[in-house]
């Protein structure tokens, strides 16, 4: 946004001599304007305002006189610490035909900047509407200010609509719970109508996406909030965003979902195992899925991390230890046996089971090779799970493009699609 002192910059081009000799400027008006300028130079802003009020009290001023009056009022209002006077004068200048079209965007932006400093959010919105009266489109700074104004006024649906108009065209729009059928009347038409992002040379601002997320949260729109978190992870990834995003998805999982283990695997990949409960829940899901070796390795990792040092955590770990060891010793499906079975099998189930064991052991290359064989053979009892884990194994093995291709499968069910999208976000940001 242009400098707040735009009005003063414009004023500097009008010298005292010009004000006194300008064509059509009445002598009695010129005297008052001259006195106002002298008062401004002497840092007597209140006196300047009085002189300008006296000028405006005379019979209606012709166009040029009105222009001079408002330009001087901008400076007087600013010097007197009365931004309302400056804003009203700037708005009046926008409406004058004598003011060139090239100056008007800067005048509007000065109003918006002043209104923001005064936390006059409604005036920001009203000033943004002035772009509808001039040929120039609003800048990105104006549209950002407009989105903030709606947000601070708790008009969350309008804030969401305006923020969506500012997002890159490649970003998924995050619609409010009750999205308006068209752009709100208070939004400048050019950006709202076209969905363009004026001046966007870099990722959307983090604070803008945080406003989007909070607006959805205030409207109790869970889907919109998660979409906003996904955008934050796409453009400004952080452990805090990952933790929030993953925990909210995990809390919505159906009971006994076979995908729960793969959600926790992403929690680990995103380095979001930050509490003792995270480790214990992951261990329980690994045991339930039949991967005691993975549970054992995870419990050891938790003990090394220091997160299991509390008395209650140590007690839980001690109770789990013997159970895990027993399950490991009872495991009757060694990988060697599965390797013999899948080669001559009529379907890919044995290969998928072998792939699961490799994935649980962190043998990524062997895992995705076996998943491919399983999918080629077909006849899988859980094809979707095999496809998901193929993408996970490829991502963990650092094969970004192959992982993204696998995770882009079009056949995901509604419960699996969010997990595929989450692993896609991780692969896009972590892998080179």
């Amino acid at each position: 946004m242009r400098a707040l002192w735009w009005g003063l910059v414009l004023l500097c081009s009008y010298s005292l001599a010009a004000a006194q000799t300008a064509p059509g400027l009445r002598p009695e008006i010129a005297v008052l304007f001259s006195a106002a300028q002298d008062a401004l130079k002497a840092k007597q802003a209140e006196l300047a305002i009085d002189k300008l009020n006296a000028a405006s009290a005379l019979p209606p001023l012709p166009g040029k006189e009105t222009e001079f009056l408002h330009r001087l009022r901008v400076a007087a209002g600013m010097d007197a610490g009365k931004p309302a006077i400056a804003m009203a004068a700037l708005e009046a200048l926008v409406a004058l035909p004598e003011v060139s079209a090239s100056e008007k965007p800067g005048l509007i932006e000065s109003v918006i900047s002043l209104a923001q400093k005064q936390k006059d959010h409604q005036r920001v919105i009203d000033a943004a509407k002035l772009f509808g009266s001039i040929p120039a489109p609003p800048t990105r700074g104006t549209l950002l200010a407009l989105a903030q104004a709606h947000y601070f006024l708790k008009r969350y649906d309008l804030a969401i609509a305006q923020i969506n108009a500012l997002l890159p065209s490649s970003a998924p729009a995050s619609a409010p719970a009750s999205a308006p059928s068209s752009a709100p009347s208070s939004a400048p038409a050019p950006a709202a109508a076209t969905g363009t992002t004026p001046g966007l040379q870099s990722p959307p601002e983090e604070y803008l996406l945080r406003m989007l997320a909070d607006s959805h949260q205030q409207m109790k729109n869970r889907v919109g909030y998660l979409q906003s978190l996904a955008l934050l992870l796409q453009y400004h990834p952080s452990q805090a965003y990952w933790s929030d995003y993953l925990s909210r998805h995990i809390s919505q999982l159906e009971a006994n979902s076979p995908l729960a283990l793969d959600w926790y695997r992403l929690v680990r990949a995103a380095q979001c195992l930050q509490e003792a409960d995270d480790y214990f829940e992951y261990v329980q899901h690994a045991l339930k899925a039949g991967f005691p070796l993975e549970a054992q390795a995870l419990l050891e990792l938790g003990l090394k991390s220091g997160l299991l040092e509390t008395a209650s955590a140590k007690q839980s770990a001690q109770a789990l230890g013997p159970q895990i060891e027993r399950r490991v010793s009872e495991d009757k499906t060694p990988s060697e046996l599965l390797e013999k079975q899948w080669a001559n099998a009529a379907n890919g189930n044995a290969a998928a089971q072998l792939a699961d064991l490799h994935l649980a052991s962190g043998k990524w290359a062997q895992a995705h090779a076996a998943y491919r064989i399983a999918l080629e053979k077909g006849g899988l009892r859980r094809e979707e799970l095999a496809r998901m884990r193929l993408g996970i194994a490829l991502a963990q093995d650092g094969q970004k493009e192959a992982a993204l291709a696998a995770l882009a499968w079009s056949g995901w069910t509604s419960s699996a699609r969010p997990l595929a999208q989450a692993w896609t976000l991780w692969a896009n940001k972590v892998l080179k």
Side-chain angles (χ1 to χ4, degrees):
M1 184 169 287
R2 291 178 175 83
L4 175 62
W5 295 91
W6 180 270
L8 293 177
V9 172
L10 292 176
L11 178 63
C12 290
S13 64
Y14 291 85
S15 66
L16 175 59
Q20 292 173 325
T21 61
L25 201 63
R26 291 172 289 176
E28 62 272 27
I29 296 295
V31 168
L32 290 170
F33 284 173
S34 176
Q37 287 184 313
D38 288 341
L40 286 172
K41 289 179 181 179
K43 301 189 182 302
Q44 296 176 313
E46 293 290 350
L47 177 59
I49 290 173
D50 290 341
K51 296 297 181 183
L52 295 172
N53 287 341
S56 64
L58 293 174
L61 303 179
K64 201 64 180 177
E65 291 179 348
T66 300
E67 182 185 354
F68 274 112
L69 173 70
H70 292 313
R71 290 186 187 278
L72 287 167
R73 270 189 168 149
V74 172
M78 291 298 299
D79 282 0
K82 295 182 176 180
I85 292 176
M87 285 189 282
L90 287 164
E91 290 166 342
L93 284 169
V94 175
L96 288 179
E98 290 81 9
V99 176
S100 69
S102 62
E103 292 180 7
K104 291 185 178 182
L107 297 173
I108 297 172
E109 289 170 4
S110 291
V111 176
I112 291 172
S113 183
L114 281 168
Q116 282 186 302
K117 288 182 179 295
Q118 299 302 308
K119 298 183 179 180
D120 189 344
H121 307 304
Q122 186 57 53
R123 192 146 200 172
V124 170
I125 294 169
D126 293 340
K129 292 179 183 178
L130 295 175
F131 273 98
S133 66
I134 63 175
T139 63
R140 182 172 178 80
T142 293
L143 299 177
L144 286 169
L146 183 58
Q148 284 181 297
H150 285 311
Y151 173 77
F152 289 128
L153 289 171
K154 300 183 178 180
R155 300 171 183 170
Y156 299 117
D157 57 337
L158 299 181
I160 290 168
Q162 187 60 60
I163 294 169
N164 281 339
L166 284 162
L167 297 179
S169 57
S170 59
S174 183
S178 300
S181 58
S182 59
S185 59
S186 55
T194 64
T196 57
T197 54
L200 183 61
Q201 302 296 329
S202 57
E205 298 81 353
E206 185 173 2
Y207 79 87
L208 183 73
L209 298 179
R210 288 174 66 92
M211 276 199 303
L212 180 63
D214 190 57
S215 294
H216 281 300
Q217 181 128 307
Q218 295 295 334
M219 295 183 71
K220 303 187 186 305
N221 181 3
R222 175 183 170 272
V223 173
Y225 182 75
L226 287 172
Q227 288 175 339
S228 303
L229 280 177
L231 289 172
L232 281 163
L233 288 170
Q234 180 179 347
Y235 295 110
H236 305 282
S238 74
Q239 199 170 68
Y241 296 144
W242 269 117
S243 294
D244 193 7
Y245 183 79
L246 294 172
S247 64
R248 286 176 184 274
H249 274 295
I250 289 171
S251 68
Q252 296 294 318
L253 285 175
E254 298 176 0
N256 300 317
S257 170
L259 299 171
L261 177 59
D262 298 301
W263 274 107
Y264 275 99
R265 285 168 170 165
L266 180 54
V267 171
R268 180 179 178 179
Q271 300 180 354
C272 292
L273 291 170
Q274 299 172 339
E275 298 180 6
D277 285 348
D278 296 332
Y279 282 92
F280 291 134
E281 288 172 14
Y282 188 170
V283 166
Q284 293 290 359
H285 283 294
L287 288 173
K288 186 184 294 185
F291 304 124
L293 285 172
E294 184 174 5
Q296 187 178 60
L298 189 66
L299 189 60
E300 292 173 357
L301 180 65
L303 291 168
K304 289 179 182 178
S305 73
L307 290 175
L308 308 185
E309 290 298 317
T310 64
S312 60
K314 283 183 178 179
Q315 185 176 0
S316 298
Q318 289 169 357
L320 277 171
Q323 178 187 351
I324 292 172
E325 290 177 6
R326 184 176 66 253
R327 291 283 301 275
V328 169
S329 64
E330 291 174 352
D331 191 348
K332 301 299 183 182
T333 318
S335 58
E336 294 83 359
L337 177 61
L338 288 171
E339 286 173 356
K340 293 178 181 178
Q341 290 178 348
W342 69 256
N344 299 317
N347 57 49
N349 287 304
Q353 193 175 357
L354 175 63
D356 285 343
L357 289 176
H358 286 320
L359 185 65
S361 301
K363 299 176 181 177
W364 317 126
Q366 294 96 317
H368 60 71
Y371 281 125
R372 289 193 186 281
I373 292 170
L375 289 166
E376 287 173 6
K377 282 180 170 291
L380 297 177
R381 289 187 293 270
R382 298 189 298 180
E383 179 185 353
E384 182 175 63
L385 198 59
R387 289 187 178 278
M388 181 71 71
R389 290 177 176 172
L390 168 63
I392 293 170
L394 287 164
Q396 294 278 40
D397 198 31
Q399 298 194 31
K400 180 177 179 178
E401 297 306 319
L404 294 178
L407 293 166
W409 185 53
S410 61
W412 301 122
T413 60
S414 58
S415 59
R417 188 174 298 108
L419 178 57
Q421 292 169 343
W423 273 102
T424 297
L425 281 171
W426 183 84
N428 266 320
K429 280 301 167 187
V430 175
L431 305 181
K432 301 300 181 184

